[in-house]
Each structure stands twice: as structure tokens, then as C-alpha cells.
Amino acid sequence: MKRWGDLPQDAADHLAAGSVLDHAEMAVVVTDRFSNLLYWNPFAEKLFGRTGQSPSRETSVLSLGIMEKDHPLAIELAKHVLKGGVWEGTFDVKRGDGTIVYVRAQAVPLRHSSGAVTGIVILAREALRSNEREKDRFGLLERIGERLAGSLYVEETLKRVAEMLVPQFADHCFIELMEGDRLVRRVSQHVQGWTPPSGTWKPVGAEIRYPSGHYADTALRRQETILVEDFATSSYPASNENSARLCGEIGMTSAIVAPLLVRGETLGLMYLSLSNLTDRRSPHYDAFDRDFVGAIATRVALAIDNALLFEEERHTAESFQKHLLPRALPQLDGLTIAVRYYPAAPLVSHGQGIQTQVGGDWYDVIPLSAGRVGIVIGDVEGRGAKAAAIMGQLRAALRAFAQDDKSPADILARLDEWTRIIATPEQDDNGADVSIPPIVTCQYLVYDAWSRQLSFANAGHAPPLLLVDGQCVELDIEEVGQPLGVRAKGLHADLVYKEETRTLPPGAALLLYTDGLVDRRPSRDGRMPTDEETLGVLCDKLAKMSSADVERIADVATVAVPGEIDDDMAILVVRSSDVDLDVEERTFPAQPIMVSEARRMAGEAFASWNVPEERAELACLLVSEVVTNVVLHAATASVPRRELVVEGPPLPFEESWDMPGFEDEVVGDKEFTLRLRRGEEAVWVEVFDQDLRLPRIRSAGENDEGGRGLYLVDQLARRWGSRPTREGKAVWFEIPTRGRQ
């Protein structure tokens, strides 16, 4: 026995498209975009009474015998299908022998392989007048249900309903939804592109108030579908004088108003009406139409309710996500920043149901000591509120760790440990811990705008893109560690994450991103672009924007890769200054006489920078305090102390701050470095030495001669701190200024 599809040549010939259409018991007619006939099959010749004739490009579809009163329907068919829609309807056709036949037709777009609509395909059959309307209505109801099943958003849902009903069932369609205790118009759809004149019917977005006794008011109060079969024999109060006059001008003939009810709640109203703007066989609705509209309203209400629930869930998750991200970016010297965050589109059409596609992507910008800045990009595996919650914990933890001013590798090592701590506790049947930490990719960078030095460590994240001189390339990273949460037991994190350093060229831009930027869902033909392809497209477009501002770069990056994003997406763009920032640095011997020299250097620098006098004096005072203590504790020899006898082990550094006797000469070979930096709104002072002990504020007694230096720094500086360095430590403080003068 042959497999299915293994046919002899003679059987295959019978399955050719032409043979199949020749035997089809349904008329098939093909036209071009201008409704000129290109093809009809033998059954079409028989149905339309054109036996023996051949189609010609100069012959219009109207020549098939469609009666003149149905020509507007044929025009509507062409307009709707050429826009990509599907049309169904009925025509009166006069055959060549003079007989009239009732034809039921369905029209679909004829598409080129590129997807462009190049013509129209019409499928037709003879319809019986007795059951034509029922088939027409139930077919429309089925199509509305199919369209609503794939609708996720309220506006999209309402638009789809209106497009299905106008012009096939109604000339005018209004849909109004309740917003609190107000009824607000959300859809106003009319036949043949007609729009109501200004000042007549209320536009979209307007509050609607139907007067008491109006049929729409009755439908709302009774929660039932109301039919006005013939306005000529009915009298109802009008919403306003202009509205009543317009109804008379267009010849309003009939209307149906159905409440949108779901779970015992009224969501709004759906209003359909007929007028003399179209020529229909029956210009009036009847009881059958009323029941039909009621069935539509039930489906529409359910779809709207689902869309409202989805939008509420999505809004909640998006708000949760966005409030966990920085609300405002700090103003930083020598660095401009732009950020973007976008959740992925829902996956309703991809077999996973309606999903809220927010997730664990995050970015952060953290001010550090002396104008330095920490830059973070990260991605928690998974989607939804759980991933966003984990992201929030990691972001908060990283901000706290960053304040220690440790190296990027140390920060990632601590964050890796924290990732394991926050893992959801789980136990197996034997009570053993089987908690699985979340998998997180992250990159942490520290940038110094004065030296343009960029230090970073990577935990399995995509390298940033470097934009400079019309080029876009990945930043060279030699050591890419494991994602957070996947390090093998027994392997210390310090061995996994390595720090690297690069120097950014003046004016260079860095684009940090999560994988949502390059991940795309399959195209219509099922093809899935590779990461290399999407990254290549992204770099090509960004290279042309390398000199643009960071906001423009972020906008271009967002839309550079075609297709629908398959994951949430975070983007962070930073650009270094193309001018050098003001800095003064000098190294002094660790001797008491150098305190005045350091203060003199600071005073001269502040004067040349036009720092306000009172701010400069304050900064010089604190320079003296910090340098004095560095000199005191960096000395190799002990310091004579007057009127103070210390028994026991030597005092730790933090409790010996400002010890008296520093004015006595101390001989030593150690050094300290004073670095001064000017920013737009502040000056920073850093003092480096080789002592590994970090200072802290001590409580000086009422009669103590020392111990108040660091207290003064804490009280008078806007910020201060200390951080370890490779050679020792750095003590720094920040003094705000009123700007450059």
C-alpha cells in the first residue's frame, strides 16, 4: 500500500488547481484590484448565465448581472476586501436569459507572495430566499465570535465589532461604556465613510445622557434589548435639537439598542440603526433582528469584560514593574542617560493564552563616591509578577551593596549569594531543602567621568554595544561569568566574576539592553530570525545614529529590529562627555607641614573654578580635618601626646581621630594624595593613603581635645564616606556649590 500522497501521474494531474476548480460545484470568480474580471470557473458561467463567454480584463464584475440596486453592495465589497477584510452578502443577479437568481457570495483578498493584496476572489452559490437571512445572520454572528476570541484590548474589541456590523447589518453603530456613573461614547462607526456634522451626534469620548423616555434610556434601565421598528410610526424624545434634525436629514428608519450585561453588571450600550444613506432590501429591523443583536451584545459584553480584566491585570503588573524601576534618573556630571522599558505583547495567538508579559528586566543608575556612578542592567528568568518581585529585591540589594564602593566583581559575588537567600523555600518528601534560586543575568559597571575609566563585571549578560565614530560594536569582554543563581556548590563567587577595565573614548555611547531587544517571535511564514541576524540589524541602524543624543538612540534601538518582541525589554543608553572635566591631583609626603600645603592647593583650585567663597572656605576646612588625620595615622613613628597616657593596646584608628599633638614633627616616608573634582553643582574632595583601616565617627567626651574631626565632616558636608582601594583607602566628601560663576 502506498503512503498517503504517493499518487500516480494521472491521478496527480486530476488534482491540478484547474481541474479541481472545473469540477467545483461553486462559482469561483477572480478580479484584479480594479474589479476587472480575470477568471471564472465553469460553475460561475452557469450560475451567472454566461455560458460560452470568456472573462476579459476590460469586463467589470458588475457585468456578471448584478442588478443596479445592489451595485453599492458590490462597491462596499471591493473596498472592504482590498483593505484585507472578508465580506459576505447577497446579490440579485439577472442572467443572460432574463431570469433572476438570488446569489450568496463571500469575498476574500487575493494576496501576492509578498503579502500585498492584488485582487479579489469571490465564491458564490445560489441562495434560497426563505432561509437566506437566517444563514446571513448566523454566519455574521459566528464571524463576530471568532474575531472577539482573539481580542485582548477594549479599544480593539470595540473596533472589531463595529467593523463587522457596519455596513453589513447597520448603517450606524455606537458603543458606549460605563465609567463610574457616567456613560461615555467609545465607538462611532458609520457607513460609506460618512461622519456626522460637528455639533450633532456626540463624538467619541463625550459623556452621553439619554433623556427619560428615550428608547436607549429604557434599554439601560430595563436591561433588555429595545427595538424601534419604524421611526415614522414612533415618537421618542431626542437627545438634543441638532441630533433630531440630523436624524431627519439622513432618514433614520429603524434602531436597536442592547445593553452590554455580564455577571449581573451593566457595562454599557450597543446602538445600531438604519438610515437612507444606503439602499437595502428592508430598511427596517424586526423581532428576529432584535434577538440577533441581543445575542451579539452578549458576546460583546463578555469580550469587553475579559478585555477589561486583562487590561487591569496588565496595568497592575506594569505599574508594579515600573514602580520597582527608578522613577527619576539622577543628574550626573560627564554622563547623559536615557532609559526605556517595554513589556512584551500578549501571547494569545501563540498557544499560551492571555498572559501579562511584564517580567524581571531592570536597569539602575546609582550615584557613588566622588561623582562616580554605578550602572546596572539585569534580567530575571521568567515572566509575570513573581519575576518582577524578585527583580525588585535584587535591585534593592544591589543598591545597598554598591554603597560599599567595592569592585564590580565583589558586588556581583554578594548579589549571587543574595539570589540564593531569596529562593523560595521548598522541601522534598524527605524534608530536604530543594530550593532552586532564580536565574538572573546581570552586568554591573562603575564609570568615572573624570578619568573616563569604566570598570565592570558580567554575570552571563549580553555585552553592551559601543557606539563611537560611526561604528557600533560589542564591548570587548574577556570574562563572562555564570548567571546569578547557577554557580556550582564549592566554587567561590570570587573565582566566577572577574573585574575588567576599559577607557571610553570622549563622546562615546554605550547601549546596555536585555534580550527582549533582539528576541523576536516567528514571522507569519514561521521563520525565526537568529540572534546574530537581529543583532546585525540593530548594529547597522545604531551605527548611523552614533552621534545622536541618547534619547534618539534609545528610540531608534526600540524599533530597529522588526517583528513582535517575545520578552519584556529594558534599554539603558549612556554617553560620556566629549570635554574633560575639571580635576586637580597632587601627592604629598605624610608630614604635618603638608596639611597647610594641601589646604593651599585646595584654596587655589576652588578659586580658579569660581567656587563661591563661603563654600570654598568650608571645603578647605574639611580638607584640613581629613588630611590632618591621614598624616597622623600614616606616620611610621609614634606621635608624642601631651597630657594623655594610654595603657593597654593602641587605640583603633576610628577612635584616635584628631588626637592632640599632631603639630609636633613626625618623620615618615609614607604619602597621601589629594584629589579635587569640580562638577556642575558640587565639588568632591578625595584623600588617598596606604592605611587599610576605614574611619568612623567617634563620640568625643566634653573635655576631650580630639575626636571631633569626622563629626565636623559629617555635619558640614552633603555626603561623605570612605572606600577601600588597592593600595589602602580613600576618604571623600562632597560640598554643594551654587553652580559656576
mmCIF file of all heavy atoms in Angstrom, residues 271-304:
data_model
loop_
_atom_site.group_PDB
_atom_site.id
_atom_site.type_symbol
_atom_site.label_atom_id
_atom_site.label_comp_id
_atom_site.label_asym_id
_atom_site.label_seq_id
_atom_site.Cartn_x
_atom_site.Cartn_y
_atom_site.Cartn_z
ATOM 1 N N TYR A 271 -25.638 50.426 20.220
ATOM 2 C CA TYR A 271 -26.717 51.100 19.494
ATOM 3 C C TYR A 271 -26.481 50.900 18.000
ATOM 4 O O TYR A 271 -25.450 51.289 17.468
ATOM 5 C CB TYR A 271 -26.697 52.589 19.858
ATOM 6 C CG TYR A 271 -27.771 53.445 19.239
ATOM 7 C CD1 TYR A 271 -28.710 54.078 20.024
ATOM 8 C CD2 TYR A 271 -27.817 53.665 17.869
ATOM 9 C CE1 TYR A 271 -29.705 54.884 19.470
ATOM 10 C CE2 TYR A 271 -28.800 54.463 17.303
ATOM 11 C CZ TYR A 271 -29.733 55.071 18.104
ATOM 12 O OH TYR A 271 -30.700 55.865 17.548
ATOM 13 N N LEU A 272 -27.457 50.280 17.295
ATOM 14 C CA LEU A 272 -27.388 50.067 15.859
ATOM 15 C C LEU A 272 -28.598 50.706 15.207
ATOM 16 O O LEU A 272 -29.713 50.661 15.755
ATOM 17 C CB LEU A 272 -27.359 48.577 15.523
ATOM 18 C CG LEU A 272 -26.233 47.754 16.155
ATOM 19 C CD1 LEU A 272 -26.414 46.282 15.840
ATOM 20 C CD2 LEU A 272 -24.883 48.239 15.679
ATOM 21 N N SER A 273 -28.398 51.291 14.031
ATOM 22 C CA SER A 273 -29.533 51.917 13.343
ATOM 23 C C SER A 273 -29.352 51.855 11.841
ATOM 24 O O SER A 273 -28.237 51.692 11.329
ATOM 25 C CB SER A 273 -29.693 53.374 13.790
ATOM 26 O OG SER A 273 -28.572 54.139 13.402
ATOM 27 N N LEU A 274 -30.487 51.982 11.117
ATOM 28 C CA LEU A 274 -30.534 52.038 9.664
ATOM 29 C C LEU A 274 -31.010 53.419 9.240
ATOM 30 O O LEU A 274 -31.766 54.077 9.958
ATOM 31 C CB LEU A 274 -31.476 50.965 9.112
ATOM 32 C CG LEU A 274 -31.122 49.510 9.411
ATOM 33 C CD1 LEU A 274 -32.236 48.585 8.934
ATOM 34 C CD2 LEU A 274 -29.805 49.130 8.755
ATOM 35 N N SER A 275 -30.569 53.844 8.055
ATOM 36 C CA SER A 275 -30.987 55.140 7.527
ATOM 37 C C SER A 275 -31.041 55.063 6.011
ATOM 38 O O SER A 275 -30.763 54.018 5.412
ATOM 39 C CB SER A 275 -30.021 56.241 7.969
ATOM 40 O OG SER A 275 -28.753 56.061 7.348
ATOM 41 N N ASN A 276 -31.399 56.179 5.399
ATOM 42 C CA ASN A 276 -31.492 56.241 3.939
ATOM 43 C C ASN A 276 -30.139 56.466 3.273
ATOM 44 O O ASN A 276 -30.088 56.681 2.053
ATOM 45 C CB ASN A 276 -32.464 57.353 3.522
ATOM 46 C CG ASN A 276 -33.904 57.006 3.875
ATOM 47 O OD1 ASN A 276 -34.270 55.825 3.961
ATOM 48 N ND2 ASN A 276 -34.738 58.022 4.083
ATOM 49 N N LEU A 277 -29.052 56.427 4.043
ATOM 50 C CA LEU A 277 -27.728 56.557 3.444
ATOM 51 C C LEU A 277 -27.378 55.347 2.584
ATOM 52 O O LEU A 277 -26.482 55.419 1.745
ATOM 53 C CB LEU A 277 -26.667 56.748 4.527
ATOM 54 C CG LEU A 277 -26.722 58.066 5.315
ATOM 55 C CD1 LEU A 277 -25.650 58.084 6.390
ATOM 56 C CD2 LEU A 277 -26.557 59.261 4.380
ATOM 57 N N THR A 278 -28.046 54.210 2.803
ATOM 58 C CA THR A 278 -27.833 53.012 1.989
ATOM 59 C C THR A 278 -29.168 52.543 1.433
ATOM 60 O O THR A 278 -30.238 52.854 1.967
ATOM 61 C CB THR A 278 -27.218 51.878 2.824
ATOM 62 O OG1 THR A 278 -28.071 51.591 3.938
ATOM 63 C CG2 THR A 278 -25.842 52.269 3.327
ATOM 64 N N ASP A 279 -29.108 51.776 0.368
ATOM 65 C CA ASP A 279 -30.298 51.216 -0.264
ATOM 66 C C ASP A 279 -30.355 49.737 0.074
ATOM 67 O O ASP A 279 -29.614 48.927 -0.489
ATOM 68 C CB ASP A 279 -30.234 51.437 -1.776
ATOM 69 C CG ASP A 279 -31.488 50.925 -2.475
ATOM 70 O OD1 ASP A 279 -32.496 50.681 -1.787
ATOM 71 O OD2 ASP A 279 -31.445 50.768 -3.717
ATOM 72 N N ARG A 280 -31.191 49.382 1.030
ATOM 73 C CA ARG A 280 -31.309 47.997 1.482
ATOM 74 C C ARG A 280 -32.671 47.441 1.089
ATOM 75 O O ARG A 280 -33.644 48.195 0.929
ATOM 76 C CB ARG A 280 -31.126 47.902 3.004
ATOM 77 C CG ARG A 280 -29.746 48.364 3.474
ATOM 78 C CD ARG A 280 -29.639 48.296 4.986
ATOM 79 N NE ARG A 280 -28.366 48.823 5.464
ATOM 80 C CZ ARG A 280 -27.266 48.113 5.663
ATOM 81 N NH1 ARG A 280 -27.297 46.809 5.422
ATOM 82 N NH2 ARG A 280 -26.156 48.676 6.083
ATOM 83 N N ARG A 281 -32.710 46.117 0.999
ATOM 84 C CA ARG A 281 -33.993 45.490 0.662
ATOM 85 C C ARG A 281 -35.036 45.783 1.731
ATOM 86 O O ARG A 281 -36.203 46.015 1.435
ATOM 87 C CB ARG A 281 -33.807 43.974 0.529
ATOM 88 C CG ARG A 281 -32.957 43.572 -0.658
ATOM 89 C CD ARG A 281 -32.878 42.059 -0.783
ATOM 90 N NE ARG A 281 -32.039 41.707 -1.912
ATOM 91 C CZ ARG A 281 -30.719 41.636 -1.870
ATOM 92 N NH1 ARG A 281 -30.090 41.898 -0.733
ATOM 93 N NH2 ARG A 281 -30.023 41.313 -2.938
ATOM 94 N N SER A 282 -34.603 45.716 2.967
ATOM 95 C CA SER A 282 -35.516 46.033 4.067
ATOM 96 C C SER A 282 -34.880 47.108 4.929
ATOM 97 O O SER A 282 -33.867 46.856 5.585
ATOM 98 C CB SER A 282 -35.797 44.790 4.915
ATOM 99 O OG SER A 282 -36.608 45.123 6.024
ATOM 100 N N PRO A 283 -35.426 48.327 4.918
ATOM 101 C CA PRO A 283 -34.833 49.419 5.690
ATOM 102 C C PRO A 283 -35.238 49.412 7.157
ATOM 103 O O PRO A 283 -35.019 50.388 7.860
ATOM 104 C CB PRO A 283 -35.371 50.658 4.977
ATOM 105 C CG PRO A 283 -36.711 50.240 4.470
ATOM 106 C CD PRO A 283 -36.586 48.786 4.116
ATOM 107 N N HIS A 284 -35.853 48.315 7.612
ATOM 108 C CA HIS A 284 -36.342 48.257 8.987
ATOM 109 C C HIS A 284 -35.884 46.966 9.656
ATOM 110 O O HIS A 284 -35.795 45.906 9.022
ATOM 111 C CB HIS A 284 -37.875 48.335 9.025
ATOM 112 C CG HIS A 284 -38.435 49.574 8.389
ATOM 113 N ND1 HIS A 284 -38.410 50.794 8.996
ATOM 114 C CD2 HIS A 284 -39.019 49.758 7.166
ATOM 115 C CE1 HIS A 284 -38.955 51.702 8.199
ATOM 116 N NE2 HIS A 284 -39.328 51.094 7.068
ATOM 117 N N TYR A 285 -35.590 47.072 10.940
ATOM 118 C CA TYR A 285 -35.305 45.896 11.760
ATOM 119 C C TYR A 285 -36.627 45.272 12.217
ATOM 120 O O TYR A 285 -37.668 45.946 12.296
ATOM 121 C CB TYR A 285 -34.484 46.275 12.992
ATOM 122 C CG TYR A 285 -33.065 46.713 12.692
ATOM 123 C CD1 TYR A 285 -32.579 47.920 13.181
ATOM 124 C CD2 TYR A 285 -32.211 45.911 11.953
ATOM 125 C CE1 TYR A 285 -31.265 48.330 12.927
ATOM 126 C CE2 TYR A 285 -30.899 46.309 11.694
ATOM 127 C CZ TYR A 285 -30.443 47.522 12.181
ATOM 128 O OH TYR A 285 -29.163 47.917 11.926
ATOM 129 N N ASP A 286 -36.553 43.975 12.553
ATOM 130 C CA ASP A 286 -37.735 43.299 13.093
ATOM 131 C C ASP A 286 -37.341 42.516 14.337
ATOM 132 O O ASP A 286 -36.204 42.627 14.834
ATOM 133 C CB ASP A 286 -38.377 42.395 12.041
ATOM 134 C CG ASP A 286 -37.415 41.337 11.500
ATOM 135 O OD1 ASP A 286 -36.379 41.074 12.159
ATOM 136 O OD2 ASP A 286 -37.681 40.770 10.428
ATOM 137 N N ALA A 287 -38.268 41.722 14.855
ATOM 138 C CA ALA A 287 -38.026 40.991 16.099
ATOM 139 C C ALA A 287 -36.884 40.003 15.956
ATOM 140 O O ALA A 287 -36.122 39.773 16.897
ATOM 141 C CB ALA A 287 -39.299 40.275 16.538
ATOM 142 N N PHE A 288 -36.730 39.397 14.763
ATOM 143 C CA PHE A 288 -35.618 38.483 14.552
ATOM 144 C C PHE A 288 -34.286 39.222 14.693
ATOM 145 O O PHE A 288 -33.346 38.721 15.318
ATOM 146 C CB PHE A 288 -35.741 37.849 13.169
ATOM 147 C CG PHE A 288 -34.610 36.905 12.836
ATOM 148 C CD1 PHE A 288 -34.635 35.584 13.263
ATOM 149 C CD2 PHE A 288 -33.518 37.339 12.108
ATOM 150 C CE1 PHE A 288 -33.591 34.720 12.966
ATOM 151 C CE2 PHE A 288 -32.472 36.488 11.804
ATOM 152 C CZ PHE A 288 -32.515 35.175 12.232
ATOM 153 N N ASP A 289 -34.221 40.419 14.109
ATOM 154 C CA ASP A 289 -33.002 41.219 14.221
ATOM 155 C C ASP A 289 -32.731 41.619 15.666
ATOM 156 O O ASP A 289 -31.578 41.674 16.100
ATOM 157 C CB ASP A 289 -33.123 42.466 13.349
ATOM 158 C CG ASP A 289 -33.234 42.136 11.874
ATOM 159 O OD1 ASP A 289 -32.539 41.209 11.430
ATOM 160 O OD2 ASP A 289 -34.030 42.788 11.183
ATOM 161 N N ARG A 290 -33.798 41.920 16.400
ATOM 162 C CA ARG A 290 -33.623 42.284 17.810
ATOM 163 C C ARG A 290 -32.981 41.140 18.592
ATOM 164 O O ARG A 290 -32.039 41.351 19.373
ATOM 165 C CB ARG A 290 -34.974 42.645 18.419
ATOM 166 C CG ARG A 290 -34.913 43.001 19.910
ATOM 167 C CD ARG A 290 -36.309 43.011 20.504
ATOM 168 N NE ARG A 290 -36.929 41.697 20.371
ATOM 169 C CZ ARG A 290 -38.243 41.481 20.423
ATOM 170 N NH1 ARG A 290 -39.077 42.504 20.589
ATOM 171 N NH2 ARG A 290 -38.733 40.259 20.286
ATOM 172 N N ASP A 291 -33.485 39.929 18.377
ATOM 173 C CA ASP A 291 -32.906 38.784 19.086
ATOM 174 C C ASP A 291 -31.459 38.544 18.654
ATOM 175 O O ASP A 291 -30.607 38.167 19.465
ATOM 176 C CB ASP A 291 -33.747 37.535 18.818
ATOM 177 C CG ASP A 291 -35.153 37.658 19.378
ATOM 178 O OD1 ASP A 291 -35.359 38.516 20.270
ATOM 179 O OD2 ASP A 291 -36.047 36.928 18.908
ATOM 180 N N PHE A 292 -31.220 38.779 17.363
ATOM 181 C CA PHE A 292 -29.864 38.615 16.846
ATOM 182 C C PHE A 292 -28.911 39.610 17.505
ATOM 183 O O PHE A 292 -27.803 39.251 17.932
ATOM 184 C CB PHE A 292 -29.891 38.804 15.329
ATOM 185 C CG PHE A 292 -28.528 38.860 14.693
ATOM 186 C CD1 PHE A 292 -27.705 37.747 14.665
ATOM 187 C CD2 PHE A 292 -28.066 40.037 14.112
ATOM 188 C CE1 PHE A 292 -26.452 37.801 14.076
ATOM 189 C CE2 PHE A 292 -26.821 40.099 13.527
ATOM 190 C CZ PHE A 292 -26.013 38.980 13.510
ATOM 191 N N VAL A 293 -29.319 40.878 17.616
ATOM 192 C CA VAL A 293 -28.478 41.893 18.254
ATOM 193 C C VAL A 293 -28.272 41.568 19.729
ATOM 194 O O VAL A 293 -27.194 41.781 20.295
ATOM 195 C CB VAL A 293 -29.091 43.286 18.071
ATOM 196 C CG1 VAL A 293 -28.323 44.322 18.886
ATOM 197 C CG2 VAL A 293 -29.086 43.678 16.604
ATOM 198 N N GLY A 294 -29.314 41.030 20.374
ATOM 199 C CA GLY A 294 -29.157 40.626 21.771
ATOM 200 C C GLY A 294 -28.094 39.558 21.935
ATOM 201 O O GLY A 294 -27.301 39.586 22.890
ATOM 202 N N ALA A 295 -28.051 38.605 20.978
ATOM 203 C CA ALA A 295 -27.026 37.562 21.032
ATOM 204 C C ALA A 295 -25.632 38.157 20.809
ATOM 205 O O ALA A 295 -24.663 37.762 21.469
ATOM 206 C CB ALA A 295 -27.330 36.495 19.986
ATOM 207 N N ILE A 296 -25.547 39.109 19.872
ATOM 208 C CA ILE A 296 -24.258 39.777 19.649
ATOM 209 C C ILE A 296 -23.822 40.514 20.909
ATOM 210 O O ILE A 296 -22.658 40.451 21.322
ATOM 211 C CB ILE A 296 -24.358 40.751 18.462
ATOM 212 C CG1 ILE A 296 -24.551 39.998 17.156
ATOM 213 C CG2 ILE A 296 -23.105 41.619 18.377
ATOM 214 C CD1 ILE A 296 -24.726 40.892 15.955
ATOM 215 N N ALA A 297 -24.765 41.243 21.540
ATOM 216 C CA ALA A 297 -24.433 42.027 22.730
ATOM 217 C C ALA A 297 -23.895 41.146 23.845
ATOM 218 O O ALA A 297 -22.998 41.554 24.593
ATOM 219 C CB ALA A 297 -25.660 42.801 23.200
ATOM 220 N N THR A 298 -24.440 39.932 23.961
ATOM 221 C CA THR A 298 -23.951 39.012 24.994
ATOM 222 C C THR A 298 -22.487 38.669 24.756
ATOM 223 O O THR A 298 -21.667 38.683 25.687
ATOM 224 C CB THR A 298 -24.799 37.734 25.005
ATOM 225 O OG1 THR A 298 -26.162 38.073 25.293
ATOM 226 C CG2 THR A 298 -24.283 36.767 26.058
ATOM 227 N N ARG A 299 -22.156 38.368 23.512
ATOM 228 C CA ARG A 299 -20.765 38.038 23.182
ATOM 229 C C ARG A 299 -19.855 39.248 23.342
ATOM 230 O O ARG A 299 -18.725 39.142 23.822
ATOM 231 C CB ARG A 299 -20.696 37.496 21.759
ATOM 232 C CG ARG A 299 -21.268 36.092 21.615
ATOM 233 C CD ARG A 299 -21.519 35.748 20.162
ATOM 234 N NE ARG A 299 -21.860 34.339 19.982
ATOM 235 C CZ ARG A 299 -23.037 33.801 20.258
ATOM 236 N NH1 ARG A 299 -23.995 34.569 20.752
ATOM 237 N NH2 ARG A 299 -23.273 32.518 20.068
ATOM 238 N N VAL A 300 -20.354 40.397 22.900
ATOM 239 C CA VAL A 300 -19.538 41.606 23.007
ATOM 240 C C VAL A 300 -19.276 41.949 24.471
ATOM 241 O O VAL A 300 -18.158 42.317 24.855
ATOM 242 C CB VAL A 300 -20.228 42.782 22.289
ATOM 243 C CG1 VAL A 300 -19.497 44.091 22.580
ATOM 244 C CG2 VAL A 300 -20.275 42.525 20.791
ATOM 245 N N ALA A 301 -20.298 41.839 25.311
ATOM 246 C CA ALA A 301 -20.132 42.161 26.735
ATOM 247 C C ALA A 301 -19.102 41.245 27.380
ATOM 248 O O ALA A 301 -18.262 41.692 28.181
ATOM 249 C CB ALA A 301 -21.470 42.045 27.455
ATOM 250 N N LEU A 302 -19.152 39.955 27.034
ATOM 251 C CA LEU A 302 -18.181 39.015 27.601
ATOM 252 C C LEU A 302 -16.762 39.348 27.134
ATOM 253 O O LEU A 302 -15.814 39.316 27.930
ATOM 254 C CB LEU A 302 -18.558 37.588 27.195
ATOM 255 C CG LEU A 302 -17.695 36.463 27.795
ATOM 256 C CD1 LEU A 302 -17.766 36.490 29.310
ATOM 257 C CD2 LEU A 302 -18.148 35.111 27.248
ATOM 258 N N ALA A 303 -16.635 39.698 25.847
ATOM 259 C CA ALA A 303 -15.311 40.053 25.329
ATOM 260 C C ALA A 303 -14.792 41.326 25.984
ATOM 261 O O ALA A 303 -13.606 41.433 26.314
ATOM 262 C CB ALA A 303 -15.381 40.224 23.811
ATOM 263 N N ILE A 304 -15.666 42.318 26.174
ATOM 264 C CA ILE A 304 -15.256 43.564 26.822
ATOM 265 C C ILE A 304 -14.847 43.302 28.263
ATOM 266 O O ILE A 304 -13.841 43.833 28.755
ATOM 267 C CB ILE A 304 -16.387 44.599 26.757
ATOM 268 C CG1 ILE A 304 -16.607 45.054 25.313
ATOM 269 C CG2 ILE A 304 -16.080 45.805 27.641
ATOM 270 C CD1 ILE A 304 -17.800 45.965 25.143
#
